[in-house]
Amino acid sequence: MSDRSPTLGHNGGPSLNDDSDPAPPGPRYCKYCCHWSPPSDYEVRDHEAFRLGLSRRRVKRPTGTCDRVLMRPGKPLAFSATSDTFGCLNFSAKPPPPITPGRGFVTVYEGDRIVWQGHEEDLPEEHR
């Protein structure tokens, strides 16, 4: 029984220097899947009002649709109405939305004095 104790500062977990393990997967919910079509804004708004107690009319939880639901390996893909927190074996993450420049607010200084302030797309050429 040669029980080696971990080094000082080590809690016995996996090595922090090992890069072979990929990052843990994020949530595999339908709302993050590229195959899922979300419910209409009208349904979402009505359900949120009911959930917050602003409406007395009962509203079912909004569901989106997916025509590529896979519940078990080897089974055919199926069409289904699914909620945003549902997950299936055919999950495929949506690509991240593109970053569009020009939405930032810019302040141009000369010394301690503010020369120009405004949105990035309105920045005059002399300050670029």
Side-chain angles (χ1 to χ4, degrees):
M1 284 212 266
S2 63
D3 218 347
R4 298 178 72 193
S5 63
T7 60
L8 182 64
H10 196 280
N11 63 1
S15 172
L16 296 177
N17 297 332
D18 186 19
D19 293 333
S20 63
D21 292 336
R28 299 176 64 88
Y29 296 142
C30 283
K31 65 181 166 184
Y32 302 120
C33 184
C34 67
H35 305 300
W36 190 65
S37 300
S40 70
D41 293 337
Y42 177 76
E43 289 181 48
V44 174
R45 186 180 63 239
D46 285 353
H47 181 262
E48 192 66 19
F50 170 71
R51 195 180 64 79
L52 294 172
L54 302 174
S55 171
R56 300 177 95 185
R57 184 173 62 95
R58 291 183 59 95
V59 180
K60 72 176 184 82
R61 187 171 180 195
T63 56
T65 57
C66 181
D67 59 351
R68 296 181 182 155
V69 175
L70 180 63
M71 295 306 296
R72 281 185 259 147
K75 294 289 183 177
L77 297 176
F79 176 83
S80 180
T82 59
S83 69
D84 57 351
T85 56
F86 181 77
C88 73
L89 298 175
N90 194 29
F91 177 81
S92 180
K94 289 181 185 175
I99 298 173
T100 55
R103 295 186 179 191
F105 191 80
V106 177
T107 303
V108 178
Y109 291 93
E110 282 185 4
D112 294 337
R113 190 172 65 89
I114 295 176
V115 177
W116 187 86
Q117 278 187 327
H119 293 282
E120 182 180 356
E121 63 268 10
D122 300 331
L123 185 65
E125 286 297 321
E126 64 265 15
H127 298 299
R128 289 187 190 268

